[in-house]
Amino acid sequence: MSVQSLMVPIGTPAPDFSLPDLDGQPHTRADYADGPGLLVIFACNHCPYVRHLESKLGEVLGTLTIPAVAICTNDADAYPDDAPEHLRAQADRAGWKFPYLIDETQQVGRAFRASCTPDFFLYDARLELAYRGAFDESTPGNGKPVTGNELRAAAEAVRTGAPVPEPHRLSMGCSIKWRA
């Protein structure tokens, strides 16, 4: 069953976080405090919505000047395909050059109000939310090409200091797999 993003209000400050990447190196919000912004992507390995766009995501993010991190918040005990070794295989397969962080306690996912994978949160240079929504209009089976155009346009607006025009298309995907 697919769910949609919660559409956190524009201007909301990025929640504080400190999470390890796949190599155990910590990444924090403070690492990105000096601009030019930050893209936070809630992702996982098992979700067909993420798999649908993962290669194009790697390609598009390779062209952006705004740093990005992916965060896996899913319960890897219940969904073993989302365990770190499988996330590493996904990052390699998709050509992701950005950090993939593990939110084992799920506190960061809750702080961001992430609801689905993929769920995109783009913050401006002040780390205030400028865009939350979809990568583009493509979803598995709808026949529309995976382009990343909506996220790319939002990132360009953030890069130039302009507001991202609303409405933002809701991100749609698999629900975050929360622990009971």
Side-chain angles (χ1 to χ4, degrees), residues 16 48 58 87 91 120 144 151 173:
D16 198 15
L87 301 179
F120 296 90
K144 298 187 179 186
L151 182 62

Side-chain angles (χ1 to χ4, degrees), residues 106-130:
Q106 300 185 318
Q107 291 176 346
V108 172
R110 290 187 191 282
F112 273 85
R113 297 185 58 211
S115 64
C116 59
T117 57
D119 211 352
F120 296 90
F121 296 82
L122 178 62
Y123 295 90
D124 63 19
R126 295 180 311 276
L127 294 182
E128 294 176 353
L129 190 63

Side-chain angles (χ1 to χ4, degrees), residues 57-136:
L57 178 63
E59 179 184 314
V60 167
L61 293 188
T63 68
L64 300 182
T65 58
I66 295 173
V69 298
I71 299 174
C72 184
T73 289
N74 280 357
D75 177 359
D77 292 333
Y79 292 84
D81 282 349
D82 294 337
E85 64 271 16
H86 298 292
L87 301 179
R88 183 179 304 282
Q90 176 187 30
D92 291 345
R93 173 181 73 237
W96 291 0
K97 304 296 183 210
F98 46 90
Y100 207 158
L101 311 180
I102 308 300
D103 181 17
E104 190 171 341
T105 68
Q106 300 185 318
Q107 291 176 346
V108 172
R110 290 187 191 282
F112 273 85
R113 297 185 58 211
S115 64
C116 59
T117 57
D119 211 352
F120 296 90
F121 296 82
L122 178 62
Y123 295 90
D124 63 19
R126 295 180 311 276
L127 294 182
E128 294 176 353
L129 190 63
Y131 177 80
R132 74 297 197 225
F135 187 61
D136 57 29

Side-chain angles (χ1 to χ4, degrees), residues 128-153:
E128 294 176 353
L129 190 63
Y131 177 80
R132 74 297 197 225
F135 187 61
D136 57 29
E137 62 184 344
S138 182
T139 59
N142 78 356
K144 298 187 179 186
V146 180
T147 63
N149 286 345
E150 294 192 36
L151 182 62
R152 193 186 319 252

